[in-house]
Amino acid sequence: MEENLKEICKVIRKDIITMIHQAGSGHPGGSLSAVELMVGLYFNKMKHNPKQPGWGERDRFFLSKGHACPVHYSVLARSGYYPVEELNSLRKLGSCLQGHPNFCRLPGLESSSGSLGQGLSIANGVALAAKMDDKNFRIYCLLGDGELNEGQVWEAMMTSAHHKLNNICAIVDYNKVQLDGPISSIKELSPLSDKWKAFNWNVIEIDGHHMKQVLDAYDAAAHCKDKPSVIIAHTIKGKGISFMENKAEWHGKAPNAQELELALAELK
Amino acid sequence: MEIKNKPTRDGYGEALLILGETNKNVVVLDADVAKSTRADWFSDKYPERFIDMGIAEQDMLGTAAGLSIAGKIPFVSTYGVFLAGRAWDQIRTTICYSNLNVKLGGAHGGISVGPDGATHQGLEEVAIMRVLPNMTVVVPCDAIETKKATLAAAAMYGPCYLRFGREAVPIVTEENTPFEIGKGYVLKDGKDVSIIANGSMVFEALRASEELQKEGIEARVINLHTVKPIDENILIKAAYDTGAIVTAEEHQITGGMGSAVAEIVSRNQPVPIEMIGIFDTFGESGTPDELMTKYGLTYLDIIKAAKRVIERK
């Protein structure tokens, strides 16, 4: 099982760098850091049906860090929401795969995103509606660490905790690097787990590239009944491509043909 | 005729009570000012469908977006400056870009908010809401029309901004006056000039037309409650029939209803236009009457503008 998921992760990483290369722009760093987190959800933990994207009982996933859409687009395609060939159209005129996700254009998306800090509030709204309607599906929301600079996230954290939204599972892709440089040089987040704990969240801290830890974390979150849960996933920006790892310059840059070849060779 | 006064926000509160009874999907959110917006009337009766989000407008709009994605019809209220201004990007990128079915109740629109001063007087909401694709913008003139507009907003799909005021204003419509989003209507016919107003300025426009009549000037008065989608036909006809237009709104001249009228008239049937509104300045503390007078928002100002614009024909 985990071996199979690890193989899927390789495919997703190849998709990410290939599609960003073809588009000539995009965000590889924060897409590559979230691969295991996304694969663990879409290929194992989430209840969903690619043939019926609107199925009422499905679990919901919100990509709050919208710039990491290449990983989401690839995971959706490889799950069967649309043909894998669509990935070639990323960021091109008329494409369903907009530079940042557009809810109206692509099946499988639950919201538009790209302006940071908004996903957890949206997830809370869906979670509150689920409580009102006695629905049991789960709601996942992937946040970037740089994104936590946005004040709205902290407003939303208070809302989830106040309403004891145990159907919410937030995930922080804690890769320690944002666009302008290291998180620690811009606006320090540490001690991040303590902050979430102080906001009355159930905090699960893991290595976000360790598939077993990822899967166990989703289970632990589902078992917590009195609070919302957050998975603080320690990750590496640009994970899997040696020359991209931990480099802020690869936050939002497309690899050229030579770099693509090097990257694909590393992922064999 | 006896004139009854009532705040337009009361119409919002009354409509929410009706919706609470008739539509189980309606939920109401407020940002710690439910007593001011009249959302508390709904929360008293339907507490399980009311969420006080605290003083967190951005989170409130995002939460409303999520509720609408899940099939609810959220009505979100707070003061217009904070609703339209503070959460503008949430309204733009999360709600309008996805064309979500979120209804915005913007209270305390206009300078007549009074003593709270400029920080709380919404004078820009119409401009910054009407530029957003998919958004509908309605500025009802009295409590009865606010009630109808709120019910109509629930009946349509898509984001809709309703603007209402704090002060009691004269009731100029009746329960059976027709109301349809996107359709202005003629309150009083005339051939010399058209006065196009919305919100609290509709009453002032009617009063101005009565005074003008005494001087032999026949003014058509149009209630343009919906700024977007705008009723092009009634505007083009007014320009054609009367050849001169005065717009009157309790809002910045820049980007407001008057600007929207000028956009249509200048492209289709150009005629002289004079605009009544706030001229690129902030408000200040004072009584509503003092402020409306100081900032040129009374029937007397409309009369002067009507005479000026007729001169320009």
Side-chain angles (χ1 to χ4, degrees), chain B residues 21-103:
Chain B
E21 177 75 27
T22 56
N23 192 334
K24 66 178 172 41
N25 284 326
V26 167
V27 293
V28 175
L29 291 81
D30 202 283
D32 200 34
V33 289
K35 286 185 177 63
S36 287
T37 61
R38 303 299 193 233
D40 66 328
W41 297 356
F42 183 93
S43 73
D44 287 347
K45 197 153 180 209
Y46 305 101
E48 72 288 353
R49 283 191 274 150
F50 174 79
I51 307 166
D52 199 322
M53 295 299 299
I55 310 157
E57 294 79 12
Q58 300 181 6
D59 183 38
M60 174 163 72
L61 272 298
T63 305
L67 285 159
S68 76
I69 288 168
K72 304 294 180 191
I73 306 173
F75 277 77
V76 180
S77 50
T78 183
Y79 299 167
V81 274
F82 309 129
L83 180 63
R86 193 144 185 167
W88 187 81
D89 179 50
Q90 284 72 14
I91 296 170
R92 174 188 182 270
T93 306
T94 292
I95 294 171
C96 288
Y97 186 38
S98 295
N99 196 24
L100 298 181
N101 198 23
V102 177
K103 315 302 172 184

Side-chain angles (χ1 to χ4, degrees), chain A residues 197-238:
Chain A
K197 280 176 194 159
F199 277 64
N200 281 330
W201 281 66
N202 173 44
V203 180
I204 303 157
E205 202 163 350
I206 61 162
D207 172 350
H209 299 306
H210 191 288
M211 189 52 81
K212 182 165 188 322
Q213 287 189 32
V214 169
L215 298 177
D216 288 349
Y218 289 130
D219 287 341
H223 284 124
C224 178
K225 294 300 175 200
D226 60 339
K227 293 175 179 183
S229 291
V230 59
I231 298 169
I232 309 275
H234 292 273
T235 57
I236 293 167
K237 191 139 183 162

